[in-house]
């Protein structure tokens, strides 16, 4: 669905946009803190942050959503941040925003801890599947309603390390 080259080009653009934007607002007193949502973000985050030209800190959080089993949007915190985020400019890095339940939960959690600002960067977005409205500040690619793997994204914890992004065709389709 997306080739390695297409992904790398877009990641470089996002990285440069983010660097330019945060040069205006981040400072020693109010640093940029990158918050990666495990586990799907890890490859995207590694490429994005290494290309950034602004000083930043990195931390991770792990969430589990049960949207597969039911559509109530139950989300659970599995691993919290180690950093204190008060007064920092937080940029959340996510692999994909689908229903939006995970991001809504995360934004609420982060905003309650008084950061200087919060923005969201997602590699992929499936706008047609959105159940709740969430503001996305940086989007790599908008994709249709298909299940994708590769570049960090998994199906049953497999295929994460594919260099490209491919569509999973289920037997029932
Ligand atoms: P949401 O809460 O429905 O927005 O979905 C959040 C999570 O579902 C993402 O962080 C992914 O882990 C997972 N997810 C949704 N769509 C896909 C996909 O197409 N491939 C792999 N994971 C997905
Ligand atoms: Mg995820």
């Amino acid at each position: 669905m997306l080739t390695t080259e297409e992904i790398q080009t877009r990641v470089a653009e996002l990285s440069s946009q983010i660097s330019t934007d945060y040069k205006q607002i981040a400072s020693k007193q109010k640093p940029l803190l990158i918050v990666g949502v495990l586990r799907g973000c890890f490859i995207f985050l590694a490429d994005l942050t290494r290309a950034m030209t602004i000083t930043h800190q990195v931390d991770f959080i792990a969430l589990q959503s049960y949207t597969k089993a039911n559509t109530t949007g139950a989300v659970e915190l599995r691993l919290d941040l180690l950093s204190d985020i008060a007064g920092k400019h937080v940029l959340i890095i996510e692999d994909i925003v689908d229903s939006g339940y995970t991001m809504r939960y995360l934004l609420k959690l982060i905003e309650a801890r008084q950061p200087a600002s919060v923005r969201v960067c997602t590699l992929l977005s499936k706008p047609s599947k959105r159940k709740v409205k969430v503001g996305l500040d940086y989007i790599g690619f908008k994709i249709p309603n298909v299940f994708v793997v590769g570049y960090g994204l998994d199906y049953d914890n497999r295929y994460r390390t594919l260099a490209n992004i491919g569509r999973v065709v289920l037997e029932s389709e």
Side-chain angles (χ1 to χ4, degrees):
M1 191 157 171
L2 295 165
T3 65
T4 308
E5 203 189 0
E6 285 169 329
I7 297 167
Q8 292 306 334
T9 303
R10 188 66 189 123
V11 171
E13 286 169 3
L14 286 172
S15 182
S16 134
Q17 182 68 55
I18 288 165
S19 301
T20 306
D21 293 353
Y22 280 94
K23 263 170 201 155
Q24 315 291 320
I25 59 167
S27 63
K28 216 170 190 170
Q29 292 71 34
K30 294 182 174 180
L32 168 60
L33 173 67
I34 299 287
V35 169
V37 185
L38 293 172
R39 288 168 278 182
C41 76
F42 80 115
I43 292 179
F44 175 43
L45 185 147
D47 284 347
L48 187 79
T49 52
R50 283 181 298 170
M52 277 167 46
T53 56
I54 174 171
T55 309
H56 60 275
Q57 305 168 358
V58 177
D59 202 347
F60 295 96
I61 195 163
L63 303 167
Q64 178 130 37
S65 64
Y66 297 96
T67 44
K68 235 183 180 178
N70 61 59
T71 51
T72 60
V75 180
E76 194 186 307
L77 179 65
R78 297 300 301 270
L79 176 76
D80 205 348
L81 298 165
L82 293 177
S83 332
D84 182 2
I85 64 172
K88 294 180 185 171
H89 291 286
V90 171
L91 177 61
I92 298 169
I93 308 294
E94 178 62 295
D95 53 354
I96 185 163
V97 178
D98 189 17
S99 66
Y101 286 130
T102 305
M103 195 48 72
R104 181 176 68 173
Y105 175 95
L106 181 55
L107 283 168
K108 218 173 152 193
L109 188 131
I110 300 264
E111 276 159 8
R113 298 180 185 179
Q114 270 94 50
S117 71
V118 189
R119 286 184 194 171
V120 179
C121 171
T122 186
L123 177 68
L124 305 173
S125 173
K126 287 184 196 171
S128 65
K129 290 263 321 263
R130 208 75 86 243
K131 292 276 197 307
V132 287
K133 213 177 161 210
V134 284
L136 304 178
D137 303 278
Y138 305 95
I139 300 174
F141 303 91
K142 288 184 182 166
I143 62 164
N145 181 16
V146 293
F147 198 87
V148 291
V149 294
Y151 201 66
L153 291 113
D154 72 303
Y155 175 71
D156 207 14
N157 212 11
R158 288 184 296 159
Y159 313 116
R160 289 191 195 277
T161 50
L162 292 174
N164 59 335
I165 290 176
R167 178 185 173 184
V168 176
V169 180
L170 301 167
E171 268 175 42
S172 57
E173 287 182 44

